[in-house]
Each structure stands twice: as structure tokens, then as C-alpha cells.
């Protein structure tokens, strides 16, 4: 297939999938098969465009011209390529996991769940491949709206509040700051196209650039930069597969992806470095990294702790975008990948624990490593990758960002990153220690086990009581991937360095 | 060709026929024929204007400026298209809706009044004669009073009375303004006036005429704070009438404002030499905020949409107050876009009324599950109202914001954006009740409305998306 038809197909495949899922809403098995086939098709479709991008091609596609200066157009470049690959690949795994989780927890409205998921993926592909800010913005909003039903899925008061906060913050920031930023860019530069080297150099002085950057940084609420991060912990009321794929990968990464994209292709890294306009964002992002880690320490609910951890890790990527040196930008792009695999593993584990034992609080997890050994080993590996220890993927991206910070003479960034890693250890490792080394809380355990006994007839007889295999296999796989990614930084760096090249 | 005359005469004759036959189905059939014919004529006229330029038609063969001239340029061809288009879409919908809310014996009167209103609005848009404008405006207003009074709610009567008083005050102002112009120039032809006024444009009577016309027309278009008649009128009239009036009546008044400001009174320079731009600017901003905020606190969804109309009219007049090319593009685009959105929204709420028998937001708990298409349409149009990209609402707000930027008014951009945020609040409120509350017993028994009501509504929903992506017509 030509690159153009691949671009179109990556939007259409999930959309058609959504329609089919809806049509087969009654036949559960066919419905889930459709989801998995759709996700596999999408990934194999996206992969086909990779060789062309690695060779330096940048296929462009103009779909329609809405008004002068407003075009719906697509262009594939390395960063979007990487993002599309991650999202579509993890969708396959997440779909398998969803089957185990949704059936295991007897969730209501499963058809609506799978339909909204497919639409969200279609929007994610649109974001990844968009060729200008206007197109990106359309899909950005579609992503917000299509994931709203997923957040409010349970329909109870808490889910409604979570959904309301989700909509108000994400739509609100995009209306208040993002649209004005796009407007301003358009009136300054006369174009909205993503152009290597940026479109603003020579057209905006350092104060204008700084203000515009602020509008973008706060307008892209999906990046969960403090103080607009509250929607993310509140979105944790959603079923765990949603938290795993959307609120650790697709939605939040769409946010930081957009920030990276704006910093590289709208401002241009050289322009940012020359004007020093992004310096304030370095401080704010560092603050966001540390503050979110400290809040994570205080959370006993496992998913809430992971959510604040995500806020903190997203800060790394914004930090990379703000430092704007080549190494920092590559590190930020790489962190999208590394964090995706690490965090999705942790969320998968949280969901598996919930499915198997209905436990949600960290203080209830004493000794759980003995009944769920695979799950908790995977958690251990994922956590190490988030902390950034070798031999796991997360080590590389943090190193690149730190090196990039030194290039930009931000020495305190180095200290902050080390401190943050220590904080990561402090909030993730106790979970592993409790799971493996503390004795199970016996009184609590008996009633719990009795409950489980009712549900899963023979689980008591086996010492190991894991969640359904549909849950366990995906999380073992993503944990393994964290390990494999440790050996892949060269390939990623080669791909991403293409985004910093300027046409001669 | 006699198309310009037919544009007005066909609905007029049809109105008389409806009153004559007094049979509910026959009346509806006549109405639908007349509406679709009008729409077809409007399309033909627009195509003619696009290919050959301004059409001038002398009514009865009398030469202007003595006779009445119908004169169609791009602007009013476009307005004719909006008015007849909204009419053509809602009539198929009307049959089911009206037969439920109005007694059989009265239905033919409703159709007759609807056609009179259509005649009046088309007449105002097409004519090139100032006094003729007044006559047609009164035809349409009187017919609208009757339509509102025929609403299912007895409060429709007081609403119609309120509108009658305010509307008559407005009409009187307009006729005084026209009279002053006639006294000063001796002509009523708009284009003749346009040539004579610049010579005497700073004389006191001309300025007084401008003031009278501005206030009179502003009353008709419900410019804040002259909007008081509108919320009740839209809230208590039959669903079809709300949709028709919201989509057309205020839009035609806006057309009049544009026509008088920029054709008759010598264009942009004169407009900017008066204090009008500043006054209009301030009132527009007030409308955008005050009306939107009031809308958030309404419990009746039709009243909420009515206040939203007042706010959206503020967006349109904001564009006019800039009097720049981009500003006017935004204003005219929003005139077109708002007609589509609001007519569509009122049709969908009419559908809710049809099944549920209530338009209280509280009563709509969980209705999204029982009437999925109706509410999906509501969500899409609501998104368009708050300016989501890929819908018409985005395009017009984009131009309005660009116009503000062109003037260097950063804070005005911020205000436009903030007003959109308030829109999000009141639309979001309905969406949340409709989708995330458990259906009440009453809602649980509901079914989706028949396709004769759904299809017209979705035609407008489709238009809201289509014209958001293909703006060659409206921009």
C-alpha cells in the first residue's frame, strides 16, 4: 500500500471496527474477536509505513481545505510514527486484557466500552499523523469526547463527578488556552503547518514566544502539567483497561506528544534555545515531576498512586520539550515509549489484583505476591523500569533527558531527576515488599478468601490464585517488553533523530 | 424571469389556500409544496446571482425608484436561502409534531400563519424598498404572534402578548426612521437612498433616522438588552414555531441591520464615524455573557436555548461592530451557522417534547438511552454551539476571533473564548442528565420519534458538520 492509503486506513480501520463492534453487540465472542482483529489490522497497517519514515520520507496528504489557512492535512514524521506504533501495538495487548478484566468483573455496558475504545484509537491515529495544528486539534477534541463515556462508565455518582471534571478540565483548557494559542500562531506565522525547524523563528520575540508557549503548555490539558492535572486522578474511576491504555498511554501521551510536536515543529528547538523562552517551563515541569511524586507517596489507593506517578512521569516529557536540546527532545520522545510499557504493566497489575481479589488499597496487599506471583513479578519489573534502573527500558530515556539538561546548562535538572528516581523507589517498592515479604493479613484474608471461594470455586485449593489468563498473559508480556526495550535505544534514537533534521 | 416575485407570491397564495380549505392534511400538503418551491426558487436565485451578478426586478413593470424594486445581491440571496431552507426542512417534521400539540380544526390556521411568516421574512429579504420592508416585517411579526399564541402552554398567550407589544414598538421605530429618510430624500428605494444620503449624511434628521432604525431593528433581532420578548416567545410556542423563528426571524433582522448600515447609510466609513460600533461592541459582549450565564440557570430547556440565542446573536453583532472584512465574514457565517444549529436544536427538543411531554431538564434523566438518535443529534449540535472544530460553530468563531486579533484586541479573544466556556456549561448540564442519570419510570417507556421527525433534524445536524468542513458557501 502507498503511504497515503496507509494514513487513511489507520483512521478508517478503528472507525469501521467501532461500527462492527456495535453491530455485534449481542454476540459477545464475535464482538471481542472483532476488537482484536481490528487492533491487529491497525498495527500491521501502521507498521508498513515505518520503512519509508526511516528512509527520511515524509508522506503528506491534504484531505480538504476548510478555509484559508485551515486545512485538514496529514503528514507522517518520526515522532508521530513512534506514537502511532506504541498506541496501536498496546491496543492489541490491552484488548486481550480487557476481555479478561471486563468479563471477570462482570462490567455493564461492555459494547459501549469497546466502541468508545475503538473511536478513541481512531482519534489517536489522527493526532499522531496530523500535519498541522488545526487537524491535530480536531482529533484532540474527538479523543476527549470519545473517552468521556469510558471515564463515566460506571454511571454512579463518583464516576459522574470524575467524568465531569475530566470534561471540564480537558475541554476548558483547550477552549481557554489551546484555541487562542492556535489563533495567535496563525496570525503570527500565517500558517499552522508542522514544519521542521519551526514556523515562528524571526516572527516572535522572546516574550511573545514565552507567552505563546504558556498558552500551549496549559492549553494541552492532556499533558496533565500541574496545576491542570486533577482530571487524571479523577479519571481513575474508569475500568482499569481504560486507565491502562488511555490514561497511561493514548490520552496522556497525546498531550505530551502535542507539546513535543509544538516545541519541535511550531516553535523550533533552535528558536526556543535562542530566545530562552522555555526556561520557565523547565522549572514548572521540574516542580510537576517532584510534587506529583510526593503526592503519590501519600496515596493508599493503588490506582491513585499510579495516576500521580503518571503525572510525574509526564512532567519528564514536558521537561525534555522545554529544555529543547536535541538529546533532551530525543529523550522525551523515547520516554513516551518507555513509560508507556512500564506504566501499562503497572495498571494491568492493579486491574488483575482487582479482578482476582477485589482489593484496591495498597495496605491490603500484604503477602499477595504468594497467591499472585506472576502478576507481582511483572509489577516489580514495570516498577523498576519506571524508576529508571537498568536493565530496563526506562533507564535510557531518563539518561537522555538528564544529558540533554546538562547540554542546556540546567544542572539542577540532574539533581531533580535523581531525587525523583528516589521518590519513585519510595512509592513503588513498598508495594513489592509488602506483596512478597509481609505475611498475609490473616483475619482479613479469611473473609476475603471465603468470598473468593464463592466466586471462583476451586481457587482455594490451588495455592496460586491468579486473575484470568486473559489478564495475566498481557501483563507478563508488557513486563518482558520493558526488558527487551533496554536493548533498543539505538533504533529509537535513529528514528527520532530524523525529527530534528531540517531540509536543506 | 419572474422568480423574484414568485419567491414571495407562492407562500402568500399558499397561506390563503390553507385558510380557505381548512383541512389539516391538505393544509400541510399545500405548505410543504409551497415551502419546497420557495427553497428551489431561492437556490435558483442564488445560482443566478453567483453567475450573473445582481438581479434587479421591477414589480409590476414600474421602473425604480417610483415602482417597487426587488433587488437581489449575494447577501440577500444568501438570506433567502437560509430562510427558505429552514422552512423546507421543518415542514415535513411539522406534521407529526403539530398534530399532537394543536387541535385538528386549528391546524390549518397554524400552517396558514406559518406561510404568512415565511412570506413576510422572504419579502423583507428580497425587497429593495424601505416601506415594503416595513410591510413585510409586520406581516411576518403578526403571523409569528399568532403562532406563538397557539403553543401548547397557556403561557404562550402572555408570551405572544409581550412579543406583540415589544415588536410593535420596534416596528414603530422602524417606520419613523423610514419616514424621516423619505422626508429628507423623497425616495424609498434603498439604492436610491444610498446615493442621496451621503450628500446630507450629517444632517440631524438623517442621524435621527439612523438611531430610530437601529433601535427598531435591534428590538426585532433581540439585541441585548432589547431581548426580553424572546425567551418566553421561544419557550412557550409550538416546537416547530420555535425552530422556525429561531432559525429565521432574528437572522432576517440582522440582515436588515447590515443592509441599512452598509448599503443605505454609505458604508463602513460613515458607520465608523458614528458611535454605533462602540455601542454595538459593548452590547454584544454583554449579550454573550449575560445571556449565556442566565442560560446556565434555566430549568426549561427551550428557555435555555432561547437565552443561548440571545448570546449567539451577540456573537453576530460583535462581528458587525468590527466592520472589517473578516469581522463581517464571521458575522454572516455565524448568521448562517446559528440558523442551522438553533433550528436543529429546537427540532430535537421538539422531538423530546413529542415523546416526553415535558421540556424540563430534570425530567430528561437517562433519556439518552431511550432516544439515542435524538440526543446524539443534540450533542453534535451542542458541540457546534460551543465551537468544536469540524462543525460550523468553529468556523464562525474562528473568524470572529481573527477579526478581534486584527484590531489588536487580545482581551476580546479571551472574552469570546470565555463565553464559549459558559456555553459548555449549559450544554454539558443537559448531556449529563440525559446520559448519566438512571431513567425515570416515565422516560423508561419512551421510544425514538418517527423518522419523519428524525430525518429533518438530522438534515440540520448533517449540515452543521458539512458546512463546518466545506465553508465555500458560507464564508
Amino acid at each position: 500500500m502507498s503511504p497515503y492509503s496507509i494514513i487513511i486506513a489507520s483512521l478508517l480501520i478503528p472507525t469501521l471496527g467501532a461500527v462492527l463492534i456495535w453491530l455485534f453487540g449481542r454476540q459477545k465472542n464475535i464482538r471481542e474477536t472483532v476488537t482484536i482483529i481490528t487492533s491487529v489490522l491497525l498495527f500491521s497497517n501502521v507498521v508498513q509505513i515505518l520503512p519509508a519514515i526511516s528512509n527520511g520520507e515524509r508522506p503528506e496528504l491534504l484531505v480538504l481545505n476548510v478555509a484559508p489557512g485551515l486545512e485538514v492535512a496529514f503528514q507522517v514524521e518520526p515522532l508521530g510514527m513512534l506514537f502511532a506504533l506504541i498506541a496501536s501495538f498496546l491496543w492489541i495487548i490491552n484488548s486481550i486484557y480487557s476481555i479478561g478484566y471486563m468479563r471477570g468483573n462482570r462490567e455493564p455496558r461492555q459494547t459501549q466500552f469497546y466502541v468508545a475504545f475503538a473511536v478513541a484509537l481512531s482519534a489517536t491515529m489522527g493526532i499522531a499523523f496530523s500535519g498541522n495544528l488545526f487537524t491535530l486539534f480536531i482529533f484532540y477534541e474527538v479523543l476527549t469526547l470519545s473517552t468521556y463515556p469510558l471515564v463515566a462508565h460506571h454511571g454512579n455518582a463518583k464516576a459522574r463527578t470524575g467524568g465531569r471534571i475530566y470534561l471540564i478540565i480537558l475541554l476548558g483548557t483547550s477552549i481557554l488556552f489551546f484555541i487562542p494559542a492556535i489563533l495567535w500562531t496563525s496570525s503570527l506565522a500565517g500558517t499552522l503547518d508542522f514544519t521542521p525547524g519551526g514556523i515562528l523563528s524571526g516572527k516572535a520575540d522572546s516574550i511573545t514566544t514565552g507567552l505563546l508557549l504558556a498558552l500551549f503548555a496549559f492549553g494541552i490539558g492532556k499533558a496533565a502539567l500541574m496545576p491542570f492535572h486533577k482530571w487524571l486522578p479523577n479519571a481513575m474511576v474508569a475500568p482499569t483497561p481504560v486507565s491502562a491504555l488511555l490514561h497511561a498511554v493514548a490520552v496522556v501521551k497525546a498531550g505530551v506528544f502535542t507539546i513535543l510536536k509544538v516545541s519541535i515543529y511550531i516553535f523550533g528547538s533552535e528558536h526556543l534555545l535562542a530566545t530562552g523562552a522555555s526556561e520557565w517551563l523547565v522549572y514548572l515541569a521540574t516542580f510537576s515531576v517532584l510534587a506529583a511524586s510526593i503526592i503519590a507517596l501519600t496515596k493508599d489507593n493503588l490506582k491513585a498512586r499510579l495516576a500521580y506517578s503518571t503525572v510525574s512521569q509526564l512532567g519528564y516529557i514536558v521537561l525534555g520539550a522545554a529544555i529543547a536540546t536535541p538529546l533532551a527532545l530525543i529523550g522525551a520522545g523515547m520516554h513516551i515509549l518507555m513509560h508507556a510499557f512500564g506504566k501499562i504493566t503497572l495498571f494491568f497489575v492493579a486491574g488483575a489484583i482487582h479482578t482476582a481479589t477485589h482489593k484496591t488499597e495498597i495496605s491490603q496487599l500484604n503477602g499477595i505476591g504468594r497467591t499472585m506471583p506472576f502478576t507481582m513479578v511483572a509489577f516489580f519489573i514495570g516498577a523498576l523500569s519506571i524508576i529508571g534502573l537498568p536493565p530496563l527500558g526506562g533507564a535510557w530515556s531518563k539518561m537522555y533527558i538528564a544529558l540533554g539538561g546538562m547540554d542546556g546548562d540546567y544542572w539542577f535538572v540532574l539533581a531533580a531527576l535523581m531525587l525523583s528516581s528516589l521518590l519513585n523507589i519510595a512509592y513503588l517498592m513498598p508495594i513489592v515488599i509488602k506483596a512478597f515479604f509481609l505475611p498475609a493479613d490473616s483475619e482479613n484474608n479469611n473473609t476475603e478468601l471465603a468470598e473468593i471461594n464463592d466466586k471462583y470455586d476451586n481457587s482455594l485449593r490451588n495455592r496460586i490464585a491468579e486473575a484470568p489468563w486473559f489478564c495475566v498473559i498481557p501483563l507478563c508480556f508488557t513486563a518482558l517488553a520493558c526488558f527487551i526495550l533496554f536493548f533498543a535505544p539505538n533504533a529509537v534514537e535513529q528514528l527520532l533523530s530524523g525529527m530534528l533534521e531540517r531540509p536543506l | 424571469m419572474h422568480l423574484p416575485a414568485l419567491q414571495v407570491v407562492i407562500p402568500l397564495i399558499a397561506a390563503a389556500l390553507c385558510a380557505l380549505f381548512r383541512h389539516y392534511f391538505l393544509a400541510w400538503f399545500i405548505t410543504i409544496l409551497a415551502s419546497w418551491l420557495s427553497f428551489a426558487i431561492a437556490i435558483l436565485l442564488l445560482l443566478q446571482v453567483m453567475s450573473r451578478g445582481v438581479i434587479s426586478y421591477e414589480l409590476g413593470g414600474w421602473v425604480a425608484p417610483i415602482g417597487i424594486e426587488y433587488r437581489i445581491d449575494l447577501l440577500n440571496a444568501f438570506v433567502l436561502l437560509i430562510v427558505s431552507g429552514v422552512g423546507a426542512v421543518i415542514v415535513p417534521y411539522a406534521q407529526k409534531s403539530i398534530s399532537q400539540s394543536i387541535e385538528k380544526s386549528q391546524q390549518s390556521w397554524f400552517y396558514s400563519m406559518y406561510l404568512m411568516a415565511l412570506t413576510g421574512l422572504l419579502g423583507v429579504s428580497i425587497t429593495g424598498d424601505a416601506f415594503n420592508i416595513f410591510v413585510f416585517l409586520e406581516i411576518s411579526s403578526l403571523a409569528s404572534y399568532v403562532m406563538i399564541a397557539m403553543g401548547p402552554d397557556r403561557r404562550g398567550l402572555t408570551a405572544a402578548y409581550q412579543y406583540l407589544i415589544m415588536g410593535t414598538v420596534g416596528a414603530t421605530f422602524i417606520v419613523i426612521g423610514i419616514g424621516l429618510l423619505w422626508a429628507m430624500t423623497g425616495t424609498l428605494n434603498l439604492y436610491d437612498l444610498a446615493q442621496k444620503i451621503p450628500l446630507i449624511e450629517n444632517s440631524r434628521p438623517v442621524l435621527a433616522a439612523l438611531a430610530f432604525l437601529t433601535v427598531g431593528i435591534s428590538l426585532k433581532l433581540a439585541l441585548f438588552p432589547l431581548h426580553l420578548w424572546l425567551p418566553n416567545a421561544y419557550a412557550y410556542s409550538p416546537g416547530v414555531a420555535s425552530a422556525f423563528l429561531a432559525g429565521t426571524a432574528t437572522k432576517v433582522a440582522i440582515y436588515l441591520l447590515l443592509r441599512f448600515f452598509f448599503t443605505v447609510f454609505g458604508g463602513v466609513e460613515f458607520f465608523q464615524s458614528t458611535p454605533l460600533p462602540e455601542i454595538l461592541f459593548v452590547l454584544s459582549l454583554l449579550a454573550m455573557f449575560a445571556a449565556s450565564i442566565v442560560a446556565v440557570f434555566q430549568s426549561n430547556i427551550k428557555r435555555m436555548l432561547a437565552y443561548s440565542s440571545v448570546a449567539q446573536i451577540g456573537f453576530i453583532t460583535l462581528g458587525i461592530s468590527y466592520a472589517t472584512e473578516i469581522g463581517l465574514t464571521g458575522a454572516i457565517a455565524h448568521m448562517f451557522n446559528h440558523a442551522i444549529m438553533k433550528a436543529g436544536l429546537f427540532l430535537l427538543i421538539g422531538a423530546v417534547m413529542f415523546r416526553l411531554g415535558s421540556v424540563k431538564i430534570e425530567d430528561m434523566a437517562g433519556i439518552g438511552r431511550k432516544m439515542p438518535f435524538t440526543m446524539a443529534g443534540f450533542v453534535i449540535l451542542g458541540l457546534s454551539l460551543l465551537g468544536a472544530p469540524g462543525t460550523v460553530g468553529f468556523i464562525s468563531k474562528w473568524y470572529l476571533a481573527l477579526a478581534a486579533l486584527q484590531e489588536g484586541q487580545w482581551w476580546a479573544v479571551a472574552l469570546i473564548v470565555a463565553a464559549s466556556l459558559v456555553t459548555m456549561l449549559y450544554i454539558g448540564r443537559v448531556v449529563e442528565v440525559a446520559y448519566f442519570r438512571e431513567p425515570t419510570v416515565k422516560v423508561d417507556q419512551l421510544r425514538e420519534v418517527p423518522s419523519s421527525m428524525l430525518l429533518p433534524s438530522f438534515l440540520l445536524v448533517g449540515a452543521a458538520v458539512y458546512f463546518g468542513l466545506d465553508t465555500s458557501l458560507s464564508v
Side-chain angles (χ1 to χ4, degrees), chain A residues 22 64-70 72 109 112 134 137-138 141 145 148-149 152-153 155 160 164 167-169 171-173 175-177 179-184 186-187 192 215, chain B residues 369 373 379 383 386-390 394-395 397-399 401-403 405 410 413-414 416-418 420-421 424-425 428 431-432 435-438 467-472 475:
Chain A
W22 182 63
L64 82 158
N65 200 333
V66 174
L70 292 180
V72 177
R109 295 186 284 282
Q112 181 193 312
F134 174 68
F137 186 69
I138 294 181
E141 296 298 345
L145 297 171
Y148 168 63
H153 186 82
R160 279 211 303 271
R164 197 185 299 148
L167 264 198
I168 288 180
I169 294 189
L171 283 184
T173 51
I175 293 175
L176 272 181
F177 306 124
I179 290 190
I182 295 174
L183 253 166
W184 200 359
S186 161
S187 76
L192 291 172
L215 285 179
Chain B
R369 277 174 238 168
F373 291 106
V379 171
L383 283 174
L386 69 90
F394 177 78
I395 301 298
K397 285 189 181 165
W398 175 263
Y399 275 101
L402 274 183
L405 264 187
W410 257 104
V413 177
I416 292 174
V417 158
S420 307
L421 214 60
M424 185 179 102
L425 288 181
V431 170
E432 199 184 300
Y435 282 97
F436 293 100
R437 298 246 175 108
E438 284 306 311
F467 291 113
L469 293 173
D470 177 7
T471 55
S472 49
V475 171

Side-chain angles (χ1 to χ4, degrees), chain B residues 122-451:
Chain B
L122 291 172
V124 172
S125 314
I126 205 170
T127 186
D129 181 282
F131 192 73
N132 214 222
I133 286 180
F134 168 71
V135 173
F136 277 124
L137 202 58
E138 276 311 279
I139 292 179
S140 74
S141 298
L142 290 170
S144 325
Y145 307 146
V146 181
M147 279 203 286
I148 292 165
M150 289 174 100
D153 198 311
R154 283 176 61 87
R155 280 173 291 186
L157 292 175
T158 46
Y161 188 68
Q162 219 176 3
Y163 186 21
L164 172 78
I165 302 286
M166 301 278 269
T168 311
V169 171
T172 315
F173 273 59
I174 292 173
V175 83
I176 291 174
I178 293 172
L180 282 171
L181 287 183
W182 185 68
M184 290 304 289
T185 61
T187 180
L188 286 170
N189 183 290
L190 295 180
Y191 306 91
D192 208 21
L193 277 170
Q195 296 198 332
K196 288 181 177 162
I197 285 178
L199 305 173
I200 49 167
E201 71 182 6
N202 284 317
S203 65
R204 200 156 285 186
V206 170
L207 289 179
L210 178 64
F212 273 112
L213 281 168
T214 307
V215 175
I217 296 172
S218 298
L219 248 168
K220 292 275 180 192
L221 67 79
L223 177 67
F224 184 89
L226 303 173
H227 66 281
L228 293 172
W229 57 269
L230 186 139
N232 284 337
Y234 284 10
Y236 302 124
S237 56
V240 182
S242 312
F244 180 67
L245 293 177
T248 58
T250 47
K251 308 298 168 293
V252 168
I254 285 162
Y255 156 75
L256 275 186
L257 204 63
L258 287 169
R259 183 59 89 203
F260 274 103
F261 281 174
F262 300 112
T263 304
V264 176
F265 283 94
V268 175
E269 271 172 41
F270 175 70
F271 177 64
Q272 282 174 337
S273 71
T274 65
L276 276 174
E278 287 81 16
I279 297 174
L280 213 52
F281 181 72
V282 172
L283 292 180
S284 306
L285 289 180
L286 281 173
M288 282 156 55
F289 276 93
S292 297
I293 290 169
V294 174
V296 176
F297 297 102
Q298 296 304 313
S299 59
N300 178 324
I301 196 167
K302 281 175 83 176
R303 270 181 81 89
M304 182 193 96
L305 291 177
Y307 276 108
S308 150
S309 276
V310 177
Q312 299 294 323
I313 287 164
F315 281 101
I316 301 175
T317 47
L318 180 74
I320 298 178
S321 78
Y322 285 120
T324 56
E325 196 190 330
I326 297 182
L328 289 178
T329 307
I332 295 169
H334 202 53
M335 182 169 97
F336 176 75
N337 298 342
H338 182 243
I340 293 178
M341 295 185 280
K342 239 348 124 44
L345 283 169
F346 272 114
L347 285 188
L348 292 167
I349 292 310
V352 171
M353 179 76 185
F354 182 75
R355 283 290 187 230
L356 185 65
S358 161
V359 284
K360 283 241 160 73
I361 295 178
E362 285 303 305
D363 294 346
M364 288 170 62
I367 204 167
R369 277 174 238 168
K370 292 294 156 183
M371 300 175 72
F373 291 106
T374 304
M375 289 317 291
F378 185 90
V379 171
I380 295 172
L381 288 176
L383 283 174
S384 176
L385 203 59
L386 69 90
T391 58
V392 286
F394 177 78
I395 301 298
S396 29
K397 285 189 181 165
W398 175 263
Y399 275 101
L400 290 175
L402 274 183
L405 264 187
Q406 208 182 30
E407 302 287 309
Q409 290 175 339
W410 257 104
W411 49 278
V413 177
L415 290 176
I416 292 174
V417 158
S420 307
L421 214 60
V422 185
T423 313
M424 185 179 102
L425 288 181
Y426 61 75
I427 295 294
R429 207 171 129 232
V430 179
V431 170
E432 199 184 300
V433 172
Y435 282 97
F436 293 100
R437 298 246 175 108
E438 284 306 311
T440 53
V441 180
K442 198 166 174 206
V443 169
D444 221 18
Q445 296 161 344
L446 298 183
R447 284 176 299 126
E448 190 54 270
V449 288
S451 55

Side-chain angles (χ1 to χ4, degrees), chain A residues 6 82 104 123 132 174 176 212 236 247 271 275 308 336 342 371 438 457:
Chain A
I6 295 177
L82 182 69
N132 57 42
S174 74
L176 272 181
L212 192 53
M236 292 300 137
H247 300 125
H271 178 63
T275 55
Y308 274 101
I336 292 185
T371 46
L438 289 187
D457 226 353

Side-chain angles (χ1 to χ4, degrees), chain A residues 99-183:
Chain A
I99 297 173
Y101 181 89
M102 296 302 276
R103 293 191 181 180
N105 285 300
R106 309 208 174 113
E107 292 275 349
R109 295 186 284 282
Q110 294 194 18
T111 305
Q112 181 193 312
F113 171 88
Y114 288 109
V115 169
F117 230 113
V119 176
L121 255 292
S122 179
T124 309
M125 294 300 123
I127 292 174
F129 291 154
S130 55
N132 57 42
L133 268 176
F134 174 68
T135 314
L136 190 146
F137 186 69
I138 294 181
F139 288 104
Y140 181 92
E141 296 298 345
V142 174
L143 185 58
T144 307
L145 297 171
S146 60
T147 48
Y148 168 63
L150 294 171
V151 173
H153 186 82
H154 288 132
N156 53 23
K158 204 177 158 212
R160 279 211 303 271
T161 319
R164 197 185 299 148
I165 294 172
Y166 188 77
L167 264 198
I168 288 180
I169 294 189
L170 289 187
L171 283 184
T173 51
S174 74
I175 293 175
L176 272 181
F177 306 124
F178 200 4
I179 290 190
I182 295 174
L183 253 166

